[in-house]
């Protein structure tokens, strides 16, 4: 990447970042088209390649940028007092919605990283993705696991919740317009339902 990219006006930087993020998120690395990115950003192809000379370099930059931005927002959720697992997960999802205001495709792009299968792409972003996973782990370090039913295994719970919410996220992005309030409502309902299934009954 040409470092002079950061000399551009922030509005143009964001258009290029959002354009690339959207196309990568919807198509994955291999099928992502730079022509589509140029169209989304509303700039010339020549200008695009002046700043990003390779697709792999662009993917690496976009991944690092998205993760760094998201990690900054997640800092407020780290090192808190013991928390309810499902309330923590809901706050995590709300944080994703908050970052959409600046970068609408960050949540989908970050979710797509776990589905990426291109070996070159995976190798290029390996360190950034691991840093993101570690940030997520820190969010849950103080979760009170004594609330779980005895049969619940944390690894399986994480996978169940993760697959469910990622599925809902991908469905929301398939709609012509992302319905933020509708999405917030449905994930709240799903998490409440899973809380009833996986936590012990309250002793009141």
């Amino acid at each position: 990447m040409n470092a002079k990219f950061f000399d551009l006006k922030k509005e143009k930087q964001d258009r290029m970042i959002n354009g690339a993020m959207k196309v990568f998120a919807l198509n994955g690395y291999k099928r992502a088209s730079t022509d589509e990115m140029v169209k989304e950003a509303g700039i010339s192809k020549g200008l695009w390649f002046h700043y990003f000379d390779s697709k792999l370099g662009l993917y690496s930059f976009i991944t690092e940028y998205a993760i760094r931005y998201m990690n900054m927002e997640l800092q407020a959720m780290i090192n808190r007092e013991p928390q309810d697992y499902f309330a923590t997960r809901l706050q995590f999802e709300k944080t994703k919605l908050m970052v959409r205001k600046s970068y609408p495709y960050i949540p989908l792009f970050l979710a797509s990283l776990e589905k990426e299968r291109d070996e070159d792409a995976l190798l290029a972003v390996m360190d950034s993705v691991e840093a993101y996973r570690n940030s997520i782990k820190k969010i849950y370090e103080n979760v009170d696991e004594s609330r779980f039913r005895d049969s619940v295994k944390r690894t399986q719970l994480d996978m169940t919740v993760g697959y469910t919410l990622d599925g809902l996220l991908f469905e929301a992005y398939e709609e012509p317009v992302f319905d933020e309030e509708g999405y917030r409502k449905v994930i709240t309902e799903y998490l409440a339902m899973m809380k009833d299934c996986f936590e012990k009954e309250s002793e009141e």
Side-chain angles (χ1 to χ4, degrees):
M1 188 200 80
N2 188 331
K4 289 186 177 180
F5 172 76
F6 293 108
D7 293 335
L8 292 171
K9 290 183 179 179
K10 187 67 165 56
E11 182 270 338
K12 182 171 283 188
Q13 289 182 37
D14 285 349
R15 276 196 286 125
M16 295 176 73
I17 290 169
N18 279 322
M21 203 176 290
K22 177 179 180 179
V23 175
F24 279 131
L26 292 175
N27 300 284
Y29 174 76
K30 197 165 188 176
R31 294 175 55 239
S33 165
T34 51
D35 286 340
E36 288 184 38
M37 297 177 197
V38 167
K39 184 177 179 180
E40 288 287 341
I43 64 169
S44 71
K45 196 168 184 178
L47 183 61
W48 185 276
F49 284 106
H50 175 69
Y51 294 107
F52 300 105
D53 58 358
S54 76
K55 183 177 170 182
L56 189 60
L58 172 62
Y59 187 72
S60 181
F61 167 74
I62 292 297
T63 301
E64 182 180 349
Y65 189 95
I67 289 174
R68 186 169 65 247
Y69 191 91
M70 189 68 187
N71 279 349
M72 286 192 298
E73 299 299 330
L74 294 179
Q75 289 304 308
M77 295 184 63
I78 295 174
N79 297 325
R80 300 181 302 171
E81 294 298 317
Q83 296 290 313
D84 173 81
Y85 177 90
F86 294 96
T88 300
R89 185 65 198 231
L90 181 59
Q91 184 56 47
F92 180 28
E93 297 304 313
K94 288 181 177 179
T95 301
K96 292 180 185 178
L97 291 177
M98 184 175 66
V99 301
R100 284 192 76 253
K101 299 184 187 308
S102 298
Y103 300 101
Y105 278 83
I106 272 191
L108 189 65
F109 177 73
L110 292 174
S112 75
L113 292 173
E114 298 297 339
K115 295 176 176 291
E116 185 56 60
R117 294 296 177 265
D118 185 272
E119 292 184 3
D120 290 335
L122 290 172
L123 184 61
V125 302
M126 181 174 56
D127 291 342
S128 294
V129 172
E130 189 60 28
Y132 181 54
R133 289 171 180 160
N134 287 336
S135 291
I136 295 174
K137 286 179 183 177
K138 288 180 181 178
I139 292 172
Y140 294 96
E141 282 182 348
N142 293 330
V143 159
D144 182 4
E145 296 190 10
S146 68
R147 303 184 188 192
F148 298 156
R149 295 180 186 273
D150 294 339
S151 60
V152 173
K153 296 179 180 178
R154 176 62 184 277
T155 301
Q156 293 175 341
L157 176 61
D158 287 343
M159 291 178 66
T160 300
V161 174
Y163 286 144
T164 299
L165 295 182
D166 281 351
L168 293 171
L169 182 69
F170 277 91
E171 283 185 6
Y173 273 102
E174 287 176 352
E175 297 297 323
V177 178
F178 188 97
D179 179 4
E180 184 168 315
E181 288 307 312
Y183 178 71
R184 190 193 309 272
K185 181 174 183 292
V186 76
I187 60 173
T188 301
E189 290 173 348
Y190 266 84
L191 284 169
M193 179 182 67
M194 288 188 283
K195 179 181 174 70
D196 287 342
C197 290
F198 295 118
E199 286 193 354
K200 299 172 184 175
E201 293 185 11
S202 177
E203 298 179 359
E204 294 182 356

